[in-house]
Amino acid sequence: MKLVRYGAPGAEKPGLIDAEGRVRDLSGAVPDIAGEALHPEGIAKLGGIDPESLPLVDGTPQDDLRLGACVGSIGKFICIGLNYADHAEEAGMPIPPEPIIFNKWTSSVVGPNDAIQIPRDSVKTDWEVELGVVIGKPGVYIDEADALSHVAGYCVVNDVSEREFQIERAGTWDKGKGCDTFGPTGPWLVTPDEAGDIDNLDMWLDVDGERMQTGTTATLIFKVPHLIAYCSRFMSLQAGDVISTGTPPGVGMGMKPPRYLKGGEMVSLGIAGLGEQRSPVLAPA
């Protein structure tokens, strides 16, 4: 299934994408794509519904029908740093011996086609296409062999980052990662049965039509099962938590000279089988 949340910001309704790419309303089945709806039993219930039996929603998704973030009420937005060897190289940093964990604040979450707002005083706002893993079955101290049973689905994440805030302003990375609008998520949550081989998904990102990032999840240093098990050592994972797994090379910080967003650009990105985002960039207010 491809699960979505559609409608005005703050008033999104749950839906799914039918075989013709149209949105079908799930409001009669679940209140939101969140919480218990993401548990294995909830996903199985939604999978048993005939899409043709659901009301058809007017409009074309990502055109004249807005999509919100594909997961509602995200509890934790957990990110993994330097998880592609070639990205670590372009950043001039060693391959980490263990996953690097940081956070995006959930107030950063926006829809896949919503605007990215460059924050006040920003000079180094950057882009990062990433594979997002959405937790379904809660757990703590999860065995790596059992980790994928805790996944409700996968999605596209743009881990927008302000590099000066992140690296040059003291403290942790978090201050450059969680600014408002820095977490475009979606367009849809793709359940594992339709997501394909998550260890071999092509990824890309363009700025104004110019290809910046080209990669594949095949070059992840720490794979999805390891990341789930590892994170669960330090926190319980709950339904609706998102783990963003890292980015391939091609970020603005790694270019020579570095290149950053100023406002007025269009950032487009996608992952094979998981959909695409297209976000206009707004200059600082």
Side-chain angles (χ1 to χ4, degrees):
M1 289 182 295
K2 293 182 174 70
L3 300 172
V4 297
R5 300 172 66 252
Y6 69 92
E12 292 91 349
K13 297 180 179 180
L16 62 77
I17 302 295
D18 67 16
E20 285 73 44
R22 303 171 299 183
V23 175
R24 298 280 180 163
D25 180 47
L26 279 172
S27 297
V30 289
D32 200 356
I33 307 300
E36 291 186 2
L38 298 170
H39 287 197
E41 300 80 8
I43 293 294
K45 174 186 173 182
L46 296 180
I49 299 173
D50 178 6
E52 297 297 321
S53 70
L54 298 169
L56 183 63
V57 178
D58 290 336
T60 301
Q62 297 185 276
D63 185 0
D64 57 349
L65 176 62
R66 176 188 176 270
L67 298 184
C70 59
V71 182
S73 302
I74 294 173
K76 295 188 286 295
F77 201 153
I78 306 158
C79 297
I80 308 299
L82 300 177
N83 200 24
Y84 288 76
D86 35 12
H87 173 53
E89 181 180 358
E90 75 170 350
M93 298 180 183
I95 293 175
E98 296 186 32
I100 295 172
I101 298 175
F102 61 91
N103 297 288
K104 294 181 85 72
W105 316 127
T106 55
S107 53
S108 71
V109 176
V110 291
N113 294 77
D114 292 343
I116 295 168
Q117 175 68 68
I118 297 178
R120 186 178 301 174
D121 300 324
S122 168
V123 293
K124 295 182 179 180
T125 294
D126 205 347
W127 54 82
E128 295 191 5
V129 59
E130 305 202 1
L131 170 68
V133 179
V134 179
I135 299 299
K137 182 171 68 176
V140 65
Y141 302 115
I142 296 167
D143 288 334
E144 188 169 334
D146 188 47
L148 292 183
S149 72
H150 290 261
V151 176
Y154 303 92
C155 63
V156 181
V157 171
N158 186 357
D159 177 19
V160 185
S161 308
E162 212 299 342
R163 303 301 188 185
E164 186 193 39
F165 297 177
Q166 174 191 355
I167 299 170
E168 303 173 33
R169 297 282 294 272
T172 67
W173 286 9
D174 302 330
K175 69 171 68 173
K177 294 287 191 171
C179 301
D180 289 357
T181 76
F182 272 25
T185 303
W188 25 78
L189 173 64
V190 183
T191 52
D193 58 308
E194 293 192 15
D197 181 2
I198 59 165
D199 289 331
N200 192 26
L201 299 178
D202 291 334
M203 315 164 68
W204 59 273
L205 182 145
D206 295 347
V207 177
D208 287 339
E210 180 182 353
R211 183 58 46 93
M212 300 297 179
Q213 290 187 273
T214 301
T216 169
T217 57
T219 60
L220 278 168
I221 299 168
F222 303 107
K223 305 293 186 182
V224 171
H226 182 79
L227 294 175
I228 293 170
Y230 185 84
C231 290
S232 77
R233 300 179 196 174
F234 306 103
M235 68 199 85
S236 62
L237 296 178
Q238 307 295 333
D241 288 349
V242 176
I243 302 174
S244 198
T245 57
T247 198
V251 300
M253 177 178 64
M255 295 182 175
K256 301 187 186 308
R259 176 173 171 179
Y260 297 109
L261 299 170
K262 303 298 184 184
E265 302 93 343
M266 181 67 71
V267 178
S268 305
L269 58 147
I271 300 177
L274 303 185
E276 301 181 5
Q277 300 183 1
R278 186 172 169 83
S279 300
V281 181
L282 305 180

